[in-house]
Amino acid sequence: MPSDGATLPPSFESNFPAGLDVKRFEPYFDYISQAPHEYIMCSLQHPKHTSCEMGALEFFGQEWVRAMQLYIPLNAIMTIIFKGNQLIKKPGKNLWQYVTGTVRSCLFLTSYCTMAWYSICCFRRFIKKDSLWMYWVNGMLCGATVLLEAPGRRLELGLYCLPRAFESLWKSGVRWGWWKNIPNGEGIYFCLFTGVLMSLYQNDPASIHEG
């Protein structure tokens, strides 16, 4: 809540997307008003920087570090497990593939997350408000960053995201009244997509580990 106990200024509520419960953000009023922002949603995304570009650059650097912390050990383990013999026979070539693969994965994840934040800021400044279509386009732009990854990794990421997307669609459909909820129904689509993954691995294993 505002520190003086006063009601929220009209600008605080008017800058939120339609349909969003503004009262949920009242406890963060002092936090997001640290610096003067043109849009309240921008102050939520990058409260320390009034410039969307500076906020995006700082976020890119922070996310790059987090991506390296994820992919350096992950790719090392995958290289040892799946290319252990090749690593011994041709260490230079395989180490180079490990380094370039790790850099590509870090660039993908960092670009994906940064695009998710920054593109919304760009749209908001262009049309001077928040609109639902911005978030649809934002999702497509973020998804396009998967092209930075190796072809084999793109498939793996797609298979990972597909159950999450179906889960989101299912829960949204229940909330919108399109269908009724099924208790423990998540087990159904988990089995379905696990079966798809196992079938793909059995019939075309190269498509899982290629790249």
Side-chain angles (χ1 to χ4, degrees):
M1 295 290 288
S3 56
D4 59 359
T7 58
L8 295 171
S11 60
F12 185 83
E13 184 170 353
S14 63
N15 283 285
F16 278 85
L20 191 65
D21 185 7
V22 180
K23 293 185 181 297
R24 296 172 58 187
F25 295 90
E26 289 181 359
Y28 307 101
F29 177 76
D30 291 332
Y31 171 71
I32 67 178
S33 58
Q34 294 179 42
H37 288 76
E38 186 176 1
Y39 300 100
I40 294 295
M41 294 302 291
C42 284
S43 67
L44 285 168
Q45 291 177 225
H46 45 85
K48 294 194 301 180
H49 300 284
T50 56
S51 168
C52 298
E53 286 70 29
M54 288 300 300
L57 285 173
E58 181 183 57
F59 182 81
F60 187 93
Q62 294 172 345
E63 188 58 36
W64 179 266
V65 173
R66 288 191 288 266
M68 291 182 65
Q69 292 172 344
L70 169 66
Y71 279 113
I72 288 177
L74 177 62
N75 286 359
I77 293 172
M78 298 294 286
T79 299
I80 293 172
I81 292 176
F82 294 107
K83 296 183 178 180
N85 293 332
Q86 298 180 36
L87 188 60
I88 296 174
K89 296 177 181 178
K90 300 179 179 179
K93 177 182 178 181
N94 285 277
L95 286 175
W96 174 250
Q97 290 178 345
Y98 163 74
V99 171
T100 55
T102 300
V103 170
R104 288 184 69 169
S105 295
C106 290
L107 183 59
F108 152 70
L109 184 58
T110 304
S111 300
Y112 175 87
C113 295
T114 304
M115 181 67 72
W117 286 80
Y118 181 59
S119 63
I120 291 295
C121 287
C122 293
F123 293 140
R124 186 178 298 123
R125 287 184 298 174
F126 180 71
I127 66 172
K128 306 300 181 183
K129 64 177 182 179
D130 270 77
S131 182
L132 182 61
W133 69 264
M134 293 164 38
Y135 297 90
W136 288 95
V137 176
N138 175 57
M140 290 186 286
L141 291 174
C142 294
T145 60
V146 76
L147 297 175
L148 296 171
E149 268 286 16
R153 291 287 180 87
R154 296 172 200 168
L155 179 60
E156 292 176 3
L157 289 167
L159 291 171
Y160 171 79
C161 293
L162 189 59
R164 310 283 87 73
F166 188 82
E167 178 182 11
S168 178
L169 174 63
W170 179 263
K171 291 182 177 179
S172 296
V174 171
R175 187 170 66 252
W176 296 334
W178 292 357
W179 44 67
K180 293 183 179 180
N181 187 36
I182 301 176
N184 302 316
E186 60 273 10
I188 298 175
Y189 57 76
F190 173 79
C191 293
L192 173 64
F193 288 106
T194 300
V196 171
L197 180 61
M198 293 298 100
S199 177
L200 184 62
Y201 178 77
Q202 181 178 7
N203 293 285
D204 189 14
S207 64
I208 299 293
H209 303 300
E210 181 183 1

